[in-house]
Amino acid sequence: MIQYPFIIVEDVALQREYLSELLSSRLELSPLGAFDNAEEAYEFLASPEERKPALIFLDIEMPEASGFNLLESLRNLRLQCKVIITTAFAEYAVKGYEYGLSGYLLKPIEPQQLNKAVDRAI
């Protein structure tokens, strides 16, 4: 079975845990890490020593740098990964898709919607 490593970037601990729990049922997904801010996620993604994810689950509204800041920074890294936005704000969808997103999920995240987004991405 092909493995798809992923990371979660979410500032709310309960949301990170919930998303991790939902994704744990997908045997083809393997977690690389969970980050509570965009800066830590960028450091991980920019590090030449770290294994790179195939999927990023990304919140938009976070303290300091937003998910859009991270998306902009990722352009410079030229990573070959899919991004699924996980946010409570529908108004960011158009801007998000300008970055070539693979999915856009509104919180509270429904397991069925998450599975559909993952299926499309992989």
Side-chain angles (χ1 to χ4, degrees), residues 35-54:
F35 304 92
D36 63 5
N37 63 67
E39 294 91 353
E40 286 180 5
Y42 180 79
E43 287 175 22
F44 175 85
L45 294 167
S47 170
E49 299 87 39
E50 298 296 344
R51 196 166 146 221
K52 302 304 178 213

Side-chain angles (χ1 to χ4, degrees), residues 17-97:
E17 292 166 13
Y18 176 69
L19 191 52
S20 292
E21 184 179 314
L22 290 177
L23 294 169
S24 70
S25 68
R26 302 284 306 241
L27 299 178
E28 74 276 25
L29 299 181
S30 59
L32 291 179
F35 304 92
D36 63 5
N37 63 67
E39 294 91 353
E40 286 180 5
Y42 180 79
E43 287 175 22
F44 175 85
L45 294 167
S47 170
E49 299 87 39
E50 298 296 344
R51 196 166 146 221
K52 302 304 178 213
L55 290 168
I56 299 174
F57 296 90
L58 178 63
D59 188 18
I60 294 296
E61 290 277 328
M62 294 183 284
E64 307 300 321
S66 74
F68 287 123
N69 295 124
L70 181 60
L71 285 172
E72 192 63 40
S73 298
L74 292 179
R75 286 181 170 174
N76 299 329
L77 294 178
R78 302 178 194 266
L79 293 179
Q80 299 296 317
C81 62
K82 306 286 183 157
V83 177
I84 297 173
I85 296 259
T86 58
T87 185
F89 302 95
E91 62 266 24
Y92 296 133
V94 172
K95 182 177 179 180
Y97 279 107

